[in-house]
Amino acid sequence: MESVQAHYDSMVEAIKKYAPLADMALIDEAFLYAEKMHETQKRRDGSPYIIHPLAVAEIIAEIGLDTDAILGALLHDCIEDTRATFDDIATRFGRPVAEMVEGVTKLTRVQYSTAEEQQMENLRKMFMAMSKDIRVIIIKIADRLHNTRTLEYQSPEKQIIKSMETMEIYAPLAYRLGMQKIKTELEDSSLRYLDPDGYSRIMEFLSSHKKEVDQFMNDVQSMITARLDAVGIEGDIYGRVKHVYSIYRKMDKQSKSLDDIYDLYAFRVIVGSISDCYNVLGHIHDLFNPVPGRFKDYISTPKPNMYQSLHTTVIGEDGIPFEVQIRTWEMHETAEYGVAAHWKYKQDGQGAGQEQQFEWVRRLLENQQDTDAEEYVHSLKIDMFDDEVFVFTPKGKVICLPAGSTPIDFAYAIHSGVGNSMVGAKINGRIASYDMELKNGDIVEVLTSKAAKGPSRDWLKLCHSNQARMKIKQWFKKERRDENIVQGRASIEAELKRMSVPLSVLQNEELLPTLLKKVSFDSLDDLYAAIGYGGITAVKAVNRIREELLRASRAQQQKENDGAVNPLSPRQSKRSDSGVIVEDFDSVLIKFSRCCTPVPGDDIVGFITKGYGVSIHRRDCPNAAHAADPEQAGRWVKVSWADTPVDPFSTSLEIHSVDRDGLMLDIAMVMTGLRLKVTELNARALPDSKCIISLTFEVQDVNQLNNVRNKIRMISGVADVVRSHG
């Protein structure tokens, strides 16, 4: 186990090398303060907690940020995890440092109804702080980077949850900030836990082919170096194998094995000027055969995260394709560290960074208004994902949109007024439909009219960007409230009907305040209107108040049945903490069998065991076939599900599929998307490139289980998904 002193010395070395102007006296004071605050805390591996802030501060120093950023990194967990306060840190180290620490601090003391709501609020808080000081998110990414480096000490469940969150939120954020080096490590580290088999196969392949790879890289590098020396262009040339996750994604997208992937290599040529970049490009195309359609000029058209470089894919003498990236040293620094490379301060420590270049931060804040938490988190992942399309206005302005965007997305990216008054669009001079997918280099013209009636609800299905979707919903919210209320009421009434709950239960004056509080609306009309304009779906709204509605509905039904000829039978009125009622037994120990893992909604029977109460089986379980055996008949009893089971039930599925890279990751992503707790995930290889995956997780009932089966069946290569039968 490494000592605190070793980590402190490592941080100091990084500061001397990358941030030599930093105030070491102030940094030492912050270190001692943080060490005292965290003195009783330990990390999962048993080491002193202060090692984590030291490691984060070292990463911040390596990026080259200033004294305040290093102080913020050292203190980033103090407010959240110790008795330290905002005012105390502001007094000792300055308000900017305290605001950074506050910005990184999670909202752990606030209770939310769903995990998505808490995640949305934490992200919203972080983005607000980030819009004022971009260093907040850089510290948060450095914090996540060190946590991924030490994931081995977490539980398997925590490893999957944290890796998914890293892949969906923090790696795309690092990309948006232009921090390519950190993004790459975050993706590779996450893949190691999300699909350990796929990760290991790629690592073993690269290791076993190291000799041939090194020979190929040296040969190509020598050819480029010799040509540039001959024409008098000074530059640094080096080659690398593409990172593991990049190879993994390529295999998954192209459905190829490792042996079929040849585009594994990339070379960088770093020169002194932009004119040299274009000169080098000509020489590269003279040395090797360029692949048509695989040239990108990010120097003349930089990415929104300021990334600049020339990209071209060529084929060498051995018929092996490889990519060449050509850039200046300034461009290279930006490509590695993004916004951090451009963070400049005045001599007195005051001044602004480059936030004005990051309009997307403002959009992320705007888009969370009037949005359901789950939808916001989902759309946020789309907006930050690294697949993009670059299109032009008729005047030549570059507009960057998520890949898959349509003219509707383009119109709302220009201005909400342009989108709301759009009556048509032209792409490259030709009239185009609203659902036409935009391609890189398209010139898009939006046709508008003052007589336009506004957006159509169908546009919500045709647009791809969260920005367009939110602006369309805001228009409907403002302009069509009465229409929204009617439509929302009809939607929620249909959902209640599906549950066999009358609308009168929702409108009950005594229950209504409780229900409105759970869905976070002031009145029923506000709820109906939100459903009408798309702020929340009827399904999600009803799910949040499902238990209260069902309970009130049962009470109302029982009241109506009081005094009737056929009152509720004793069995129907019984309650059970275990979720199961055993006929003729008032209290008995219940055990759910592992052979068939029954859940509410399944047809079940009970078996009286010796010393373990009643074991519950599905009626189609092979072990339940013994119920017909005369010798055992007396031990099988009738059981039924209670009205409202309290806890989730563990169950298992067997997934029969083609054995392919990325399969385990796809399954993990489905389960994460459904917000279900996975307790076990194992794979077994079969002949003919087939496999069986055993998946154990928790659900509320058989309907939820069937939804999981349907989602998994849609995964590429999956042949069947069946319940376990022992």
Side-chain angles (χ1 to χ4, degrees), residues 602-623:
D602 285 329
D603 192 7
I604 52 175
V605 293
F607 181 74
I608 300 174
T609 61
K610 295 178 180 178
Y612 292 100
V614 175
S615 178
I616 307 300
H617 294 260
R618 297 207 317 262
R619 197 171 287 276
D620 62 352
C621 175
N623 290 325

Side-chain angles (χ1 to χ4, degrees), residues 521-720:
F521 287 97
D522 295 328
S523 69
L524 267 182
D525 279 353
D526 288 345
L527 172 61
Y528 294 152
I531 294 170
Y533 73 75
I536 186 174
T537 65
V539 174
K540 289 175 184 173
V542 170
N543 280 342
R544 290 184 186 178
I545 54 177
R546 175 183 293 272
E547 293 303 319
E548 289 80 0
L549 290 172
L550 289 173
R551 196 178 300 118
S553 179
R554 284 194 298 272
Q556 181 174 306
Q557 185 67 37
Q558 187 167 350
K559 191 174 182 180
E560 292 172 359
N561 289 340
D562 279 349
V565 179
N566 296 314
L568 289 173
S569 69
R571 186 177 68 84
Q572 288 175 308
S573 61
K574 282 185 182 178
R575 298 182 60 84
S576 168
D577 293 336
S578 67
V580 168
I581 297 167
V582 182
E583 191 173 277
D584 300 327
F585 287 85
D586 290 330
S587 178
V588 65
L589 184 65
I590 297 295
K591 177 185 175 186
F592 293 96
S593 65
R594 292 179 60 85
C595 56
C596 58
T597 58
V599 298
D602 285 329
D603 192 7
I604 52 175
V605 293
F607 181 74
I608 300 174
T609 61
K610 295 178 180 178
Y612 292 100
V614 175
S615 178
I616 307 300
H617 294 260
R618 297 207 317 262
R619 197 171 287 276
D620 62 352
C621 175
N623 290 325
H626 299 298
D629 185 348
E631 294 183 9
Q632 301 282 349
R635 297 176 66 181
W636 289 92
V637 294
K638 290 183 179 180
V639 294
S640 61
W641 294 105
D643 290 331
T644 315
V646 213
D647 298 319
F649 291 77
S650 180
T651 189
S652 299
L653 292 175
E654 281 189 359
I655 302 163
H656 299 253
S657 175
V658 174
D659 191 2
R660 65 169 177 84
D661 290 312
L663 178 62
M664 297 283 274
L665 177 57
D666 287 344
I667 293 170
M669 291 182 73
V670 165
M671 302 306 289
T672 303
L674 293 171
R675 308 191 310 281
L676 296 176
K677 181 180 179 181
V678 176
T679 55
E680 200 171 330
L681 184 60
N682 295 312
R684 186 171 80 253
L686 299 175
D688 302 324
S689 298
K690 300 289 195 325
C691 69
I692 290 181
I693 295 173
S694 300
L695 175 65
T696 304
F697 54 100
E698 294 182 350
V699 292
Q700 292 291 339
D701 55 34
V702 74
N703 291 329
Q704 193 175 29
L705 175 60
N706 288 334
N707 184 38
V708 175
R709 292 176 70 181
N710 292 334
K711 294 276 188 186
I712 294 177
R713 280 195 185 104
M714 296 169 66
I715 294 174
S716 174
V718 172
D720 199 8

